[in-house]
């Protein structure tokens, strides 16, 4: 058995190990991603966030685990009742987003998530935070569009921002509806580039468009 054959065999075995590890990683992530749809409580979302965070410590070159860890923390904030718990969830999510952006600074979905986080900050204290975090959300979401102009979630969240902006400052349904419509059109043609790609937003956008746009036509 010559050295070239042995070397080739070792390389092949190495590739097989990597492929098996990748398949196991995908399966674990898919299962955890599915579990998000079943989560309803603070604990549900916190447990999932912790699971994704643990995965991220081994999948250090991937952004999906950190994305979903942050996404679960944001959702925990949305279902929490105490303002302090809401803020803590968003602050934890920010750490995951920051870490993910270090790996993939031009990933559109991460900037969408950043915009969603800022919108979460607004909900805790709209009077004090509305102006500042609305501007930050718009900046993040427009950045998401710059990296992927076909990302429907960017348009959907921009629509939400516009909807909750006072008419005196250019907001309201008139500004939001075209964005919701664009988002819905993009949701119909959206093809995920990965099995772990985010898929949320379509149903929520359709509800917003139906309740705020169709009734005026």
């Amino acid at each position: 058995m010559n050295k070239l054959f042995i070397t080739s065999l070792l390389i092949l075995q190495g590739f097989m190990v990597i492929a098996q590890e990748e398949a196991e990683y995908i399966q674990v992530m898919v299962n955890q991603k599915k579990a998000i749809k079943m989560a309803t409580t603070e604990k549900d979302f916190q447990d999932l966030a912790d699971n994704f965070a643990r995965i991220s410590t081994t999948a250090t070159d991937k952004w999906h685990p950190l994305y979903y860890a942050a996404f679960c923390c944001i959702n925990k904030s949305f279902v929490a009742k105490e303002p302090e718990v809401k803020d803590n969830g968003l602050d934890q999510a920010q750490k995951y987003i920051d870490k993910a952006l270090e790996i993939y600074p031009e990933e559109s979905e991460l900037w969408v998530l950043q915009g969603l986080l800022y919108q979460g900050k607004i909900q805790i204290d709209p009077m004090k935070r509305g102006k500042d975090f609305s501007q930050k959300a718009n900046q993040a979401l427009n950045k998401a569009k710059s990296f992927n102009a076909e990302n429907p979630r960017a348009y959907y969240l921009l629509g939400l921002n516009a909807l909750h902006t006072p008419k005196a400052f250019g907001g309201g349904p008139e500004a939001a509806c075209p964005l919701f419509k664009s988002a819905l059109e993009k949701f119909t043609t959206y093809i995920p580039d990965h099995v772990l790609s985010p898929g949320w937003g379509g149903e929520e956008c359709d509800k917003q468009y139906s309740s705020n746009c169709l009734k005026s036509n």
Side-chain angles (χ1 to χ4, degrees):
M1 190 177 293
N2 59 47
K3 291 183 179 180
L4 180 59
F5 179 79
I6 294 174
T7 300
S8 299
L9 183 60
L10 290 173
I11 292 173
L12 178 59
Q13 289 175 338
F15 280 132
M16 290 175 66
V17 170
I18 292 172
Q20 183 177 357
E21 291 176 349
E22 180 69 13
E24 291 173 353
Y25 158 76
I26 294 292
Q27 188 59 57
V28 169
M29 284 290 294
V30 166
N31 290 339
Q32 291 298 306
K33 183 183 174 186
K34 289 179 179 177
I36 296 175
K37 295 182 179 180
M38 306 299 293
T40 58
T41 68
E42 291 177 41
K43 186 179 186 305
D44 290 342
F45 286 116
Q46 185 61 61
D47 288 346
L48 283 168
D50 292 342
N51 290 344
F52 283 116
R54 280 192 288 270
I55 296 170
S56 75
T57 61
T58 56
T60 55
D61 61 335
K62 296 177 171 60
W63 61 268
H64 289 110
L66 291 165
Y67 173 96
Y68 286 110
F71 184 66
C72 289
C73 286
I74 293 172
N75 277 281
K76 174 190 172 183
S77 176
F78 286 154
V79 301
K81 295 180 179 180
E82 297 297 326
E84 184 177 356
V85 177
K86 288 177 174 289
D87 260 331
N88 287 341
L90 296 176
D91 291 343
Q92 184 60 57
Q94 187 64 68
K95 294 178 182 179
Y96 293 135
I97 292 174
D98 289 343
K99 194 170 182 179
L101 285 171
E102 290 178 5
I103 305 171
Y104 287 91
E106 297 184 359
E107 174 50 55
S108 175
E109 296 292 357
L110 292 174
W111 289 104
V112 167
L113 201 61
Q114 182 69 78
L116 180 65
L117 185 150
Y118 288 145
Q119 290 180 342
K121 286 286 188 180
I122 295 171
Q123 291 182 12
I124 297 171
D125 193 341
M127 292 298 293
K128 292 183 178 179
R129 299 180 177 185
K131 182 179 179 181
D132 183 31
F133 281 100
S134 179
Q135 291 176 348
K136 288 183 176 181
N138 274 334
Q139 290 171 356
L141 295 168
N142 281 312
K143 202 161 188 175
K145 281 175 57 182
S146 73
F147 292 129
N148 181 3
E150 298 305 311
N151 188 333
R153 279 164 288 281
Y155 293 83
Y156 163 52
L157 294 187
L158 282 168
L160 280 183
N161 240 33
L163 182 65
H164 296 291
T165 298
K167 289 186 178 181
F169 297 99
E174 295 81 2
C177 289
L179 290 164
F180 288 145
K181 185 176 181 180
S182 293
L184 287 174
E185 291 171 350
K186 294 180 186 303
F187 273 119
T188 61
T189 58
Y190 172 72
I191 300 175
D193 60 4
H194 195 279
V195 67
L196 299 179
S197 293
W200 60 270
E203 292 182 8
E204 297 91 337
C205 185
D206 186 59
K207 290 178 182 177
Q208 291 291 342
Y209 184 74
S210 297
S211 60
N212 294 287
C213 307
L214 294 183
K215 65 181 182 181
S216 61
N217 293 337

